[in-house]
Amino acid sequence: MGNAELLSIHIHPVKAFRGQSPREAVVEPWGLAGDRRWALIDDGGKVVTQRQQPRLALAAAELLPGGGLRLSAPGLEPLTVAVPEPGDTVSMEIFRDKVEGVPADTAAHAWCSAHLGAEVRLVHMDDPATRRPVDPEYALPGETVTFADGYPLLVTSVASLDALNTLIARGDHAGEGPLPMNRFRPNVVVAGTGPWAEDGWSRVRIGEVAFRVAKMCGRCVVTTTDQTTAGRGKEPLYSLARHRRIDGKLVFGQNLVPLSRGTIRVGDPVHVTG
């Protein structure tokens, strides 16, 4: 894998919204700087994602200096949202984790609710160093994560997507392919590997930053959501279920935890170190 390199970087400032693809990103212990520090919750405090609301794919979030947001969506005026002042937190549930977050202002709640046609609140993670531990079954002591599904970063590879698209083309829903990488909402995409090479990684270095592989990434219905139209189909879950079922999960990509800080850049070499 001597010629593997970082092809693209993806940051999603608001969980489940469309994100950005910068040329470089700062790696913090809990993920890429600015990634998934914001999320929506419903009136019961549960995090809202594209699993429940595929229309979230049509909303975009741009990260502003200082951590604020500029939100945009079809039919709505763009809205600038400031990082809320430290103060009262709300209890929220992200999968099985109970987490505290700081609510944004009422204008942000109203804007997000108008986009979805459902009452939601926008919440910010004020201190990712302490708020949410990584799943202890796969974590080292002290590791934390933002509002990402479970781990600081997700890596995917171009070769594996090409292999998956070949499987889709041979299947019962060939007309849905080929799928773009944004179906999988990765943080980092690697080129120059073999198909499924990431299955065997335990340590990897991207440019100056070292990572450990925590576990394979089991995929859900979000991957069947067209990130441009919010429409849903059968793929890639149909083909993953037939060809990539590992330990009961439909697997595509690997979850990473940073072992060091630093900056990663598009074009950085990628080396497997374990």
Side-chain angles (χ1 to χ4, degrees), residues 83-144:
V83 174
E85 293 293 327
D88 292 340
T89 61
V90 294
S91 293
M92 50 194 290
E93 182 178 339
I94 174 165
F95 304 113
R96 292 180 298 276
D97 295 341
K98 301 289 188 181
V99 185
E100 295 294 311
V102 184
D105 60 32
T106 55
H109 305 331
W111 190 97
C112 295
S113 299
H115 174 62
L116 291 181
E119 287 297 317
V120 292
R121 288 179 290 168
L122 181 64
V123 180
H124 181 254
M125 182 177 283
D126 55 343
D127 184 9
T130 63
R131 289 292 184 195
R132 184 181 176 216
V134 173
D135 181 348
E137 186 176 351
Y138 299 98
L140 298 179
E143 290 179 341
T144 61

Side-chain angles (χ1 to χ4, degrees), residues 39-103:
L40 297 181
I41 58 174
D42 64 17
D43 55 8
K46 290 192 174 182
V47 165
V48 178
T49 75
Q50 289 184 32
R51 293 166 178 82
Q52 304 86 17
Q53 290 278 7
R55 271 183 60 80
L56 286 172
L58 305 181
E62 176 189 354
L63 194 65
L64 301 178
L69 302 171
R70 180 177 169 83
L71 305 180
S72 58
L76 293 175
E77 287 294 318
L79 181 71
T80 298
V81 181
V83 174
E85 293 293 327
D88 292 340
T89 61
V90 294
S91 293
M92 50 194 290
E93 182 178 339
I94 174 165
F95 304 113
R96 292 180 298 276
D97 295 341
K98 301 289 188 181
V99 185
E100 295 294 311
V102 184

Side-chain angles (χ1 to χ4, degrees), residues 28-31 97 125 127-146 150-153 202-203 210-215 255-260:
E28 299 172 332
W30 40 82
D97 295 341
M125 182 177 283
D127 184 9
T130 63
R131 289 292 184 195
R132 184 181 176 216
V134 173
D135 181 348
E137 186 176 351
Y138 299 98
L140 298 179
E143 290 179 341
T144 61
V145 62
T146 61
Y151 299 88
L153 284 90
S202 60
R203 294 283 190 278
F211 302 86
R212 70 177 187 87
V213 178
K215 67 185 291 287
N255 292 298
L256 301 181
V257 180
L259 295 173
S260 61

